[in-house]
Amino acid sequence: MTGLLALIVVILFVVTIWQMSKIFKLSQLKGNSENGQIANDKDNRVNGKLMIMFLIFMYFITIYCFWNYSKFYLPEASSEHGSSYDTLMFISLALIMVVQVITQALLHYFAYKYQGKKGNRALFYADNDKLEFIWTIIPVIVLAGLIIYGLFTWSDIMNFEEEEDAIVVELYAKRFAWEARYAGDDNILGNANVRFIEGANTVGVDLSDQDAMDDVITSELHLPVGRQVIFKLRSQDVLHSAYMPHFRAQMNVVPGMITQFSFTPSKTTAEIRETQYMKDKMQVIKEIRKEKNKKSIAAGNGEIDEYDEFDYYLLCNKICGASHYNMQMKIVVETQEEYDAWMAKQETFGKKIAGK
């Protein structure tokens, strides 16, 4: 693959030099020299037809990509705010596609219809206030509407109100792993700072803060469905980004400050595994891994680990270093009863420190 890309780059470079040499020669011509590469009626007809052919090809490849690669879209959002996010995206995409189809069709059609012909003179306007008003005011109105709608959507998502039964969870990022810290029974996260990191205190909790003693630190994120979760995000080292694509959630994790985000999970891990979308996706993944397994065994590297079930994951969406690709944490969305049972098995920070 690398060799192919290198070959393509070399070919494009040669073509660029060739075209530049032609431009240079053309620039040396004076007047209407017959020896120059001056376009005639035949050239204009050929280029006009090529413009129409390219328009057809462009629409064909666009339709093909939408039809063939729509399977790579994310499934329906697994959070309550996700539908608003998706609606905004699809409205934006629809507007872009409508404008693209109309403008490109006009551009290529006019290039064909009004191709150069010997003796013809172009009709032009020095200025036309009506046309300028139309092509200025329409984009202004459309973009203003889209921006205002986007701002309202953003405000609804980001300016959330804390519900009475909301869960407070800290996501702690460090190269190249995540840790989750749950506020305990008091639902208050204890103070923390990177200066306090030592031994078992891996997230820098302030040992003098009593609110921190009932906090629970885990390497796996469990969330109850239908209940608001407020995330507080901290970074130990560099800029990270907490990215949970299936929940349509992403927030930068900035060293030296606390950022926050909130959403309510609407679909458990068990429920999304049963959707037709995910069943089809897993079948494709299994086929791919089966082929890779054959190659791995043939090369003497043994079998690749099985991947039978889908899981939500928290990812880092900033290139934070060499192992950035592997910075992830499993997310389990479950019923309230399952969440309570899991939480009951977890050790509080106070007990963890006392038993160190």
Side-chain angles (χ1 to χ4, degrees):
M1 180 59 72
T2 303
L4 177 60
L5 291 175
L7 178 62
I8 292 173
V9 170
V10 171
I11 293 173
L12 290 175
F13 178 75
V14 172
V15 171
T16 302
I17 297 298
W18 176 56
Q19 290 293 334
M20 289 178 65
S21 67
K22 291 175 64 178
I23 294 171
F24 177 75
K25 289 179 182 178
L26 189 60
S27 69
Q28 302 303 307
L29 298 175
K30 296 181 179 180
N32 294 321
S33 172
E34 294 297 329
N35 297 323
Q37 298 182 30
I38 305 300
N40 53 35
D41 287 355
K42 180 181 178 182
D43 296 328
N44 291 330
R45 284 195 300 272
V46 170
N47 281 286
K49 291 176 181 177
L50 287 174
M51 290 292 280
I52 295 297
M53 291 171 62
F54 183 76
L55 177 67
I56 295 171
F57 169 76
M58 183 171 62
Y59 285 161
F60 169 78
I61 201 70
T62 300
I63 294 170
Y64 173 81
C65 288
F66 271 106
W67 180 268
N68 198 53
Y69 296 111
S70 60
K71 60 187 177 184
F72 294 113
Y73 289 162
L74 285 170
E76 183 181 349
S78 296
S79 62
E80 290 186 359
H81 78 272
S83 59
S84 300
Y85 179 98
D86 288 346
T87 300
L88 176 60
M89 188 193 75
F90 284 121
I91 288 175
S92 301
L93 187 61
L95 285 172
I96 291 170
M97 289 307 302
V98 167
V99 172
Q100 189 267 351
V101 168
I102 294 174
T103 56
Q104 292 300 315
L106 291 175
L107 173 66
H108 290 76
Y109 172 71
F110 287 159
Y112 171 76
K113 181 175 176 58
Y114 300 108
Q115 59 191 255
K117 293 181 181 178
K118 191 174 182 178
N120 280 8
R121 292 175 60 85
L123 176 65
F124 67 93
Y125 295 99
D127 59 76
N128 189 310
D129 294 340
K130 182 182 291 185
L131 285 176
E132 291 183 11
F133 177 80
I134 291 173
W135 68 51
T136 300
I137 199 65
I138 292 178
V140 167
I141 293 173
V142 173
L143 287 175
L146 189 60
I147 291 170
I148 291 171
Y149 175 56
L151 286 174
F152 276 108
T153 303
W154 172 261
S155 179
D156 289 341
I157 294 172
M158 297 303 299
N159 299 328
F160 58 89
E161 293 184 4
E162 183 174 348
E163 299 174 4
E164 290 185 6
D165 63 343
I167 300 172
V168 180
V169 182
E170 178 186 82
L171 297 178
Y172 187 70
K174 55 186 174 182
R175 296 194 298 180
F176 297 96
W178 295 93
E179 287 189 85
R181 179 163 66 109
Y182 292 79
D185 295 334
D186 58 4
N187 210 30
I188 300 174
L189 282 172
N191 295 326
N193 194 290
V194 293
R195 294 193 297 269
F196 300 138
I197 296 176
E198 184 180 2
N201 189 2
T202 55
V203 299
V205 176
D206 186 352
L207 299 179
S208 64
D209 186 356
Q210 291 302 309
D211 290 333
M213 293 302 104
D214 63 349
D215 290 354
V216 174
I217 300 173
T218 67
S219 57
E220 189 172 273
L221 184 60
H222 283 243
L223 305 174
V225 68
R227 189 170 170 187
Q228 184 188 35
V229 184
I230 300 174
F231 295 99
K232 307 288 185 177
L233 302 103
R234 287 194 304 129
S235 172
Q236 178 175 306
D237 34 50
V238 299
L239 182 67
H240 298 280
S241 184
Y243 180 44
M244 294 170 271
H246 292 90
F247 302 99
R248 310 301 192 264
Q250 179 172 320
M251 178 61 65
N252 283 343
V253 190
V254 185
M257 67 182 295
I258 297 174
T259 53
Q260 70 173 10
F261 192 86
S262 173
F263 66 78
T264 302
S266 59
K267 192 175 296 183
T268 66
T269 300
E271 287 173 339
I272 195 171
R273 285 174 179 171
E274 293 302 313
T275 61
Q276 191 60 47
Y277 172 96
M278 202 52 67
K279 288 180 179 179
D280 294 341
K281 176 76 74 175
M282 292 305 301
Q283 187 59 40
V284 172
I285 292 173
K286 287 178 181 179
E287 292 299 323
I288 294 173
R289 292 181 75 86
K290 186 185 295 183
E291 291 301 316
K292 288 189 174 182
N293 241 330
K294 291 179 182 178
K295 295 179 181 179
S296 180
I297 293 171
N301 298 324
E303 293 189 6
I304 300 173
D305 292 339
E306 290 295 327
Y307 181 64
D308 295 327
E309 293 184 314
F310 167 82
D311 284 304
Y312 294 118
Y313 273 92
L314 164 64
L315 308 170
C316 176
N317 209 23
K318 285 286 188 293
I319 302 177
C320 55
S323 295
H324 152 76
Y325 70 95
N326 202 35
M327 186 171 169
Q328 52 188 278
M329 180 165 64
K330 181 180 176 181
I331 303 175
V332 179
V333 181
E334 53 200 355
T335 64
Q336 184 65 49
E337 293 75 17
E338 292 170 329
Y339 171 79
D340 291 339
W342 174 81
M343 185 59 73
K345 298 176 182 178
Q346 306 307 307
E347 185 179 36
T348 63
F349 178 72
K351 292 180 179 179
K352 183 177 180 180
I353 292 298
K356 65 180 178 179

